[in-house]
Amino acid sequence: MPYPGRFSSNDSDDLAPQPMPDVGGGPLRPPANVGGYGPDVTGSIRAPMNAAPAPTVSHGPVAGLPPEDQPETGPRRELPAQFRRQVVNYQTVEPPGTIIIDTPHTYLYRVLGNGQAMRYGIGVGREGFTWTGTERVSRMKEWPDWFPPKEMIDRQPYLPRFMAGGDTNPLGARALYLGNTLYRIHGTNQPSTIGTFVSSGCIRLTNDDISDLYTRVTVGTRVVVLPGASAPVSAATPATVTQ
């Protein structure tokens, strides 16, 4: 899909910049009163009680996950500074509210306007699984269940056919579904993969970051995946944040 260039004013989500919320220092945890098929858009940021088994088990759906989707255990690792959520100076012709995926540099930008954007570190598709073009957010889901698509099962027949939403689920705390494609912007149970080329084409953020982004977008938000020859990293520099 070709990159379409500047959008008309009707394509803008026209979302004003918002202060970065305090997401706290601890990991997100499952609620006791939400099942795997809860409402698509709610205020909870925890997983359902009937989530997939804990990573310590040696059987069940978790055992069938490939290495790049196995839940990480042990102390939580801190993201490198460049991949931490921050407001940066970012020049673009895209209107406020647009999400821009810079695959080569593993960044996601949410355009704020006035030459600024909120930047998140991401994990992107490995070689042969990257893509470019535009889509719109067609659905939003908290602690989504995972049904590996047929194409993925054909490549990896050992995958589980279903995993309930939860801490061990490869889709993490939130998912933004893109059009009618198989691609999603979602959380991850492997935060150390942020900044790497690891997925089958989906865009992954830490659970804290996807939960933050989830509050800043709506169904219909435009998503632009830039071609490989995107702007250099130096085009986006940290901004002085006053909020």
Side-chain angles (χ1 to χ4, degrees):
M1 292 180 287
Y3 177 63
R6 184 181 178 91
F7 306 118
S8 69
S9 59
N10 291 333
D11 289 329
S12 171
D13 293 288
D14 198 24
L15 301 178
Q18 303 178 34
M20 290 190 293
D22 180 4
V23 297
L28 303 173
R29 284 292 179 261
N33 60 347
V34 179
Y37 291 93
D40 279 3
V41 182
T42 67
S44 170
I45 57 172
R46 298 173 295 171
M49 183 174 63
N50 61 347
T56 53
V57 300
S58 58
H59 55 83
V62 171
L65 294 176
E68 65 270 18
D69 288 317
Q70 284 285 343
E72 292 178 353
T73 59
R76 189 177 182 181
R77 302 174 185 177
E78 189 172 3
L79 283 179
Q82 70 270 28
F83 296 130
R84 296 173 198 162
R85 183 171 76 245
Q86 57 191 291
V87 175
V88 297
N89 295 319
Y90 186 71
Q91 297 299 325
T92 178
V93 298
E94 311 303 344
T98 304
I99 292 175
I100 300 175
I101 307 295
D102 181 351
T103 299
H105 301 119
T106 60
Y107 291 133
L108 179 152
Y109 297 92
R110 181 182 171 275
V111 179
L112 300 177
N114 299 318
Q116 292 190 327
M118 184 77 77
R119 188 178 75 186
Y120 306 78
I122 57 175
V124 298
R126 59 188 180 273
E127 185 176 358
F129 288 88
T130 58
W131 58 285
T132 64
T134 61
E135 289 292 344
R136 288 189 181 272
V137 174
S138 54
R139 188 163 74 96
M140 300 169 63
K141 180 69 177 176
E142 297 185 2
W143 294 106
D145 298 326
W146 185 46
F147 297 86
K150 179 182 182 299
E151 294 82 354
M152 183 175 287
I153 291 175
D154 288 344
R155 295 191 304 269
Q156 301 165 294
Y158 53 83
L159 289 175
R161 273 34 178 186
F162 165 78
M163 282 189 71
D167 290 338
T168 59
N169 190 301
L171 298 184
R174 302 286 185 274
L176 307 176
Y177 295 78
L178 301 181
N180 294 318
T181 73
L182 299 176
Y183 299 124
R184 292 158 291 219
I185 301 172
H186 61 79
T188 181
N189 58 29
Q190 279 203 332
S192 69
T193 60
I194 300 303
T196 67
F197 297 76
V198 66
S199 77
S200 296
C202 288
I203 308 301
R204 60 174 66 179
L205 294 81
T206 66
N207 281 337
D208 281 345
D209 279 353
I210 189 62
S211 296
D212 176 84
L213 181 64
Y214 191 91
T215 67
R216 300 172 185 270
V217 302
T218 60
V219 171
T221 292
R222 189 114 181 195
V223 178
V224 179
V225 182
L226 296 175
S230 60
V233 176
S234 59
T237 57
T240 301
V241 183
T242 57
Q243 64 255 37

PDB file of all heavy atoms in Angstrom, residues 112-126:
ATOM      1  N   LEU A 112       0.896  15.512  18.100  1.00  0.00           N
ATOM      2  CA  LEU A 112       0.226  16.453  18.993  1.00  0.00           C
ATOM      3  C   LEU A 112      -0.072  17.785  18.317  1.00  0.00           C
ATOM      4  O   LEU A 112      -0.921  18.535  18.773  1.00  0.00           O
ATOM      5  CB  LEU A 112       1.096  16.704  20.237  1.00  0.00           C
ATOM      6  CG  LEU A 112       1.434  15.484  21.093  1.00  0.00           C
ATOM      7  CD1 LEU A 112       2.352  15.886  22.237  1.00  0.00           C
ATOM      8  CD2 LEU A 112       0.167  14.824  21.623  1.00  0.00           C
ATOM      9  N   GLY A 113       0.640  18.084  17.241  1.00  0.00           N
ATOM     10  CA  GLY A 113       0.516  19.390  16.600  1.00  0.00           C
ATOM     11  C   GLY A 113       1.576  20.341  17.107  1.00  0.00           C
ATOM     12  O   GLY A 113       2.323  20.049  18.052  1.00  0.00           O
ATOM     13  N   ASN A 114       1.704  21.485  16.463  1.00  0.00           N
ATOM     14  CA  ASN A 114       2.683  22.509  16.847  1.00  0.00           C
ATOM     15  C   ASN A 114       4.109  21.950  16.883  1.00  0.00           C
ATOM     16  O   ASN A 114       4.912  22.308  17.739  1.00  0.00           O
ATOM     17  CB  ASN A 114       2.322  23.121  18.208  1.00  0.00           C
ATOM     18  CG  ASN A 114       0.973  23.803  18.191  1.00  0.00           C
ATOM     19  OD1 ASN A 114       0.635  24.512  17.236  1.00  0.00           O
ATOM     20  ND2 ASN A 114       0.182  23.582  19.235  1.00  0.00           N
ATOM     21  N   GLY A 115       4.398  21.026  15.957  1.00  0.00           N
ATOM     22  CA  GLY A 115       5.750  20.499  15.854  1.00  0.00           C
ATOM     23  C   GLY A 115       6.140  19.531  16.945  1.00  0.00           C
ATOM     24  O   GLY A 115       7.332  19.315  17.190  1.00  0.00           O
ATOM     25  N   GLN A 116       5.169  18.923  17.625  1.00  0.00           N
ATOM     26  CA  GLN A 116       5.480  17.979  18.684  1.00  0.00           C
ATOM     27  C   GLN A 116       4.691  16.682  18.519  1.00  0.00           C
ATOM     28  O   GLN A 116       3.661  16.635  17.841  1.00  0.00           O
ATOM     29  CB  GLN A 116       5.184  18.592  20.061  1.00  0.00           C
ATOM     30  CG  GLN A 116       6.101  19.730  20.444  1.00  0.00           C
ATOM     31  CD  GLN A 116       5.929  20.125  21.902  1.00  0.00           C
ATOM     32  OE1 GLN A 116       4.836  20.046  22.454  1.00  0.00           O
ATOM     33  NE2 GLN A 116       7.007  20.549  22.537  1.00  0.00           N
ATOM     34  N   ALA A 117       5.201  15.635  19.140  1.00  0.00           N
ATOM     35  CA  ALA A 117       4.535  14.337  19.140  1.00  0.00           C
ATOM     36  C   ALA A 117       4.893  13.595  20.414  1.00  0.00           C
ATOM     37  O   ALA A 117       5.941  13.841  21.020  1.00  0.00           O
ATOM     38  CB  ALA A 117       4.950  13.517  17.915  1.00  0.00           C
ATOM     39  N   MET A 118       4.014  12.703  20.824  1.00  0.00           N
ATOM     40  CA  MET A 118       4.326  11.759  21.890  1.00  0.00           C
ATOM     41  C   MET A 118       5.009  10.558  21.242  1.00  0.00           C
ATOM     42  O   MET A 118       4.469   9.971  20.304  1.00  0.00           O
ATOM     43  CB  MET A 118       3.063  11.321  22.626  1.00  0.00           C
ATOM     44  CG  MET A 118       3.329  10.404  23.806  1.00  0.00           C
ATOM     45  SD  MET A 118       3.944  11.301  25.244  1.00  0.00           S
ATOM     46  CE  MET A 118       2.402  12.025  25.842  1.00  0.00           C
ATOM     47  N   ARG A 119       6.186  10.206  21.738  1.00  0.00           N
ATOM     48  CA  ARG A 119       6.945   9.114  21.130  1.00  0.00           C
ATOM     49  C   ARG A 119       7.027   7.920  22.081  1.00  0.00           C
ATOM     50  O   ARG A 119       7.257   8.072  23.275  1.00  0.00           O
ATOM     51  CB  ARG A 119       8.360   9.575  20.768  1.00  0.00           C
ATOM     52  CG  ARG A 119       9.139   8.540  19.963  1.00  0.00           C
ATOM     53  CD  ARG A 119      10.512   9.064  19.600  1.00  0.00           C
ATOM     54  NE  ARG A 119      11.425   9.044  20.755  1.00  0.00           N
ATOM     55  CZ  ARG A 119      12.661   9.558  20.739  1.00  0.00           C
ATOM     56  NH1 ARG A 119      13.106  10.154  19.639  1.00  0.00           N
ATOM     57  NH2 ARG A 119      13.418   9.500  21.812  1.00  0.00           N
ATOM     58  N   TYR A 120       6.828   6.737  21.516  1.00  0.00           N
ATOM     59  CA  TYR A 120       6.904   5.486  22.254  1.00  0.00           C
ATOM     60  C   TYR A 120       7.901   4.559  21.556  1.00  0.00           C
ATOM     61  O   TYR A 120       7.945   4.504  20.320  1.00  0.00           O
ATOM     62  CB  TYR A 120       5.548   4.768  22.277  1.00  0.00           C
ATOM     63  CG  TYR A 120       4.371   5.561  22.780  1.00  0.00           C
ATOM     64  CD1 TYR A 120       3.731   6.507  21.977  1.00  0.00           C
ATOM     65  CD2 TYR A 120       3.856   5.339  24.061  1.00  0.00           C
ATOM     66  CE1 TYR A 120       2.620   7.208  22.432  1.00  0.00           C
ATOM     67  CE2 TYR A 120       2.737   6.037  24.521  1.00  0.00           C
ATOM     68  CZ  TYR A 120       2.132   6.973  23.700  1.00  0.00           C
ATOM     69  OH  TYR A 120       1.027   7.661  24.147  1.00  0.00           O
ATOM     70  N   GLY A 121       8.655   3.790  22.332  1.00  0.00           N
ATOM     71  CA  GLY A 121       9.473   2.739  21.757  1.00  0.00           C
ATOM     72  C   GLY A 121       8.605   1.535  21.420  1.00  0.00           C
ATOM     73  O   GLY A 121       7.654   1.221  22.140  1.00  0.00           O
ATOM     74  N   ILE A 122       8.922   0.862  20.319  1.00  0.00           N
ATOM     75  CA  ILE A 122       8.110  -0.266  19.873  1.00  0.00           C
ATOM     76  C   ILE A 122       8.991  -1.423  19.409  1.00  0.00           C
ATOM     77  O   ILE A 122      10.170  -1.259  19.112  1.00  0.00           O
ATOM     78  CB  ILE A 122       7.163   0.139  18.715  1.00  0.00           C
ATOM     79  CG1 ILE A 122       7.959   0.726  17.534  1.00  0.00           C
ATOM     80  CG2 ILE A 122       6.112   1.119  19.200  1.00  0.00           C
ATOM     81  CD1 ILE A 122       7.109   1.046  16.304  1.00  0.00           C
ATOM     82  N   GLY A 123       8.394  -2.598  19.348  1.00  0.00           N
ATOM     83  CA  GLY A 123       8.965  -3.736  18.644  1.00  0.00           C
ATOM     84  C   GLY A 123       8.196  -3.893  17.344  1.00  0.00           C
ATOM     85  O   GLY A 123       6.974  -3.681  17.301  1.00  0.00           O
ATOM     86  N   VAL A 124       8.883  -4.249  16.261  1.00  0.00           N
ATOM     87  CA  VAL A 124       8.257  -4.276  14.935  1.00  0.00           C
ATOM     88  C   VAL A 124       8.514  -5.623  14.258  1.00  0.00           C
ATOM     89  O   VAL A 124       9.162  -6.510  14.811  1.00  0.00           O
ATOM     90  CB  VAL A 124       8.775  -3.121  14.062  1.00  0.00           C
ATOM     91  CG1 VAL A 124       8.412  -1.776  14.671  1.00  0.00           C
ATOM     92  CG2 VAL A 124      10.291  -3.226  13.873  1.00  0.00           C
ATOM     93  N   GLY A 125       8.024  -5.740  13.017  1.00  0.00           N
ATOM     94  CA  GLY A 125       8.146  -6.982  12.282  1.00  0.00           C
ATOM     95  C   GLY A 125       9.583  -7.350  11.963  1.00  0.00           C
ATOM     96  O   GLY A 125      10.396  -6.495  11.626  1.00  0.00           O
ATOM     97  N   ARG A 126       9.878  -8.627  12.073  1.00  0.00           N
ATOM     98  CA  ARG A 126      11.198  -9.106  11.695  1.00  0.00           C
ATOM     99  C   ARG A 126      11.322  -9.108  10.171  1.00  0.00           C
ATOM    100  O   ARG A 126      10.356  -8.811   9.461  1.00  0.00           O
ATOM    101  CB  ARG A 126      11.450 -10.504  12.262  1.00  0.00           C
ATOM    102  CG  ARG A 126      10.472 -11.574  11.824  1.00  0.00           C
ATOM    103  CD  ARG A 126      10.715 -12.859  12.606  1.00  0.00           C
ATOM    104  NE  ARG A 126       9.801 -13.924  12.221  1.00  0.00           N
ATOM    105  CZ  ARG A 126       8.608 -14.119  12.739  1.00  0.00           C
ATOM    106  NH1 ARG A 126       8.163 -13.277  13.670  1.00  0.00           N
ATOM    107  NH2 ARG A 126       7.843 -15.119  12.348  1.00  0.00           N
TER     108      ARG A 126
END
